[in-house]
Amino acid sequence: MELKISPSILASDYANLEKELNRISNSDLIHIDVMDGHFVPNITIGAPVVKALKRVCNIPFDVHLMISNPIDYVEDFAAAGADIICFHTESNSDIEKTIEKIHFLGKKAALAVKPKTEIDVVLPFLDKLSMVLVMTVEPGFGGQSFMEEVMPKIEKIRETNKEIDIEVDGGINEETVKIAAKAGANVFVAGSSVFKSEIPNDMITLLRNNAEI
Ligand code: DX5
Ligand code: ZN
């Protein structure tokens, strides 16, 4: 399985986003956390910012929608330059219809689950998805601790499907990346660990090496 590191710009300096993207040029994906202050108690980036970032970055955008009504916004994010559009099973949108709409827009669809959500919810959709995002913290904020108790959910998806990308998001650092990789994850979101390190590109390489099992 190809290992991919997807740094979350939530932990970056929003006053210098172009510079921050240049510090993570070794990354495979750019993870962009979109929060609406309703699905989660925080508000972050919207489609206009994604569009602006697209002008200065060639790395594919992994857009994580933590919003209540994703089906109403996938068009905006697709137009803004999202390459993978990920939405939550716990949102109010119909899962099948939202996946169809993302595909109609020519983008890859991913489905995310919060730590307390049973993974069985995503199993019927695996064939239609490029990726499943398993949250290893409660969504809403960066800098929280990795929840190892979520690992059996990753194991279950990996047993069911050997090909699909499984992304972990929350508390990933040079140690926890090993635990998630062992469970079967191959895409690793890392916010604080990457941006708080002196040379983010070196941390990306370290995470990728440590994920190798
Ligand atoms: C949390 C976001 C994460 C967050 C991860 O709701 O979905 O992507 O940025 O941050 P760290 O790596 O600091 O836990
Ligand atoms: Zn995220």
Side-chain angles (χ1 to χ4, degrees), residues 155-174:
E155 287 160 10
K156 189 156 184 189
I157 307 167
R158 188 50 82 215
E159 271 166 30
T160 319
N161 188 313
K162 304 274 177 255
E163 306 299 319
I164 198 162
D165 281 336
I166 303 178
E167 180 174 56
V168 275
D169 185 5
I172 295 293
N173 58 36
E174 62 270 42

Side-chain angles (χ1 to χ4, degrees), residues 30-57:
I30 305 293
H31 187 85
I32 304 177
D33 287 307
V34 175
M35 305 186 190
D36 65 355
H38 188 257
F39 183 76
V40 287
N42 198 6
I43 300 178
T44 54
I45 286 175
V49 177
V50 175
K51 188 175 177 192
L53 295 178
K54 199 68 184 177
R55 285 195 277 117
V56 296
C57 183

Side-chain angles (χ1 to χ4, degrees), residues 31 33 64 66 133 169 189:
H31 187 85
D33 287 307
H64 179 192
M66 284 162 275
L133 190 169
D169 185 5
V189 176

Side-chain angles (χ1 to χ4, degrees), residues 17 43 49 60 74 118 120 188 205:
L17 283 174
I43 300 178
V49 177
V74 290
E118 295 287 338
D120 292 8
F188 306 91
T205 305

Side-chain angles (χ1 to χ4, degrees), residues 109-182:
L111 203 47
V113 282
K114 293 200 221 177
K116 291 191 193 91
T117 303
E118 295 287 338
I119 201 62
D120 292 8
V121 188
V122 307
L123 298 181
F125 303 101
L126 286 188
D127 291 347
K128 299 187 173 118
L129 299 168
S130 328
M131 186 165 82
V132 176
L133 190 169
V134 178
M135 293 294 307
T136 40
V137 297
E138 285 299 332
F141 301 91
Q144 305 179 73
S145 302
F146 179 77
M147 297 167 75
E148 192 168 345
E149 60 269 33
V150 166
M151 295 303 104
K153 295 206 283 193
I154 297 173
E155 287 160 10
K156 189 156 184 189
I157 307 167
R158 188 50 82 215
E159 271 166 30
T160 319
N161 188 313
K162 304 274 177 255
E163 306 299 319
I164 198 162
D165 281 336
I166 303 178
E167 180 174 56
V168 275
D169 185 5
I172 295 293
N173 58 36
E174 62 270 42
E175 293 309 320
T176 55
V177 74
K178 299 178 193 168
I179 302 168
K182 204 164 149 234

